[in-house]
Amino acid sequence: MNCITLNIRGIGEDPKIKWVRKLKQVHYANFVGIQETQITNYERIDVNGCWGSHDFDFEGVNSSGRSGGLLSIWNRNCFSKKEIIKSRHYLIIIGKWIGIEGDTILANIYGPHGLGDQKRLWHELLAIKEAKPGNWTIFGDFNAVRRADERFNSNFCPTSAKHFNKFIQEAELQDFRMGG
């Protein structure tokens, strides 16, 4: 299982489509989660161009104007979807990953900016995670950080970090260091 997550800040341009395809190929990804597509109708995205073959399935969440938008693409020979749960801030794909026992649950997140909206999102995700047992992977752009040293060129909000850390702890998540 090899997954890539990208905050692409608009996917309507051909160079970004090619960039996604190249990353998918170079890293042998079977699942790609994209945040901030900035496309109001995700079905108009050149998903075939992103994937580079016809062996894929996908699902998306439309943006609200030029804000947000989610797209998840996967190799249908490795993963078969059983259920989709989505809202403006998440796209959760539940299915069977070949070679992995039980359900695999991949949650693509584009978090809100406001603290109250973030707290509601954390609460919703915890409720879904409790209701849907399986092998969870939660990724994306949470628009929240755990520590001040993770915030660059913007203000650190200790209250937001406190609630984000509480969510991570209650959801029993592992925080992996990412690059890019």
Side-chain angles (χ1 to χ4, degrees), residues 12-67:
E13 304 164 10
D14 193 47
K16 289 189 179 181
I17 298 288
K18 290 178 181 175
W19 178 58
V20 170
R21 183 176 61 242
K22 182 177 180 179
L23 286 172
K24 179 248 175 198
Q25 292 169 341
V26 166
H27 297 286
Y28 304 101
N30 300 113
F31 189 96
V32 176
I34 298 172
Q35 304 85 46
E36 274 196 287
T37 63
Q38 299 178 348
I39 302 288
T40 55
N41 181 355
Y42 74 85
E43 292 178 354
R44 294 178 49 204
I45 297 171
D46 180 10
V47 180
N48 190 52
C50 290
W51 200 253
S53 73
H54 296 288
D55 295 335
F56 68 88
D57 199 355
F58 72 99
E59 187 63 49
V61 172
N62 294 330
S63 70
S64 178
R66 293 198 39 89
S67 175

Side-chain angles (χ1 to χ4, degrees), residues 136-154:
W136 277 81
T137 301
I138 301 177
F139 57 88
D141 182 348
F142 296 91
N143 281 311
V145 295
R146 300 188 75 186
R147 298 176 307 278
D149 65 342
E150 293 180 337
R151 182 63 74 191
F152 302 102
N153 298 322
S154 62

Side-chain angles (χ1 to χ4, degrees), residues 114-130:
L115 180 59
D117 291 334
Q118 288 174 346
K119 287 167 64 175
R120 278 186 286 283
L121 174 61
W122 308 149
H123 180 75
E124 268 184 64
L125 290 172
L126 285 169
I128 295 168
K129 188 172 182 294
E130 186 163 316

Side-chain angles (χ1 to χ4, degrees), residues 67-132:
S67 175
L70 296 162
L71 179 67
S72 292
I73 316 167
W74 59 91
N75 182 334
R76 67 175 170 220
N77 296 318
C78 297
F79 180 77
S80 60
K81 74 177 175 188
K82 290 177 20 182
E83 184 179 354
I84 306 289
I85 305 170
K86 59 183 173 177
S87 81
R88 179 175 180 207
H89 296 290
Y90 56 82
L91 173 57
I92 300 171
I93 315 289
I94 301 170
K96 297 300 289 177
W97 199 289
I98 293 173
I100 297 177
E101 197 171 314
D103 284 340
T104 296
I105 303 161
L106 299 150
N108 188 353
I109 311 296
Y110 182 69
H113 292 277
L115 180 59
D117 291 334
Q118 288 174 346
K119 287 167 64 175
R120 278 186 286 283
L121 174 61
W122 308 149
H123 180 75
E124 268 184 64
L125 290 172
L126 285 169
I128 295 168
K129 188 172 182 294
E130 186 163 316
K132 302 289 182 179

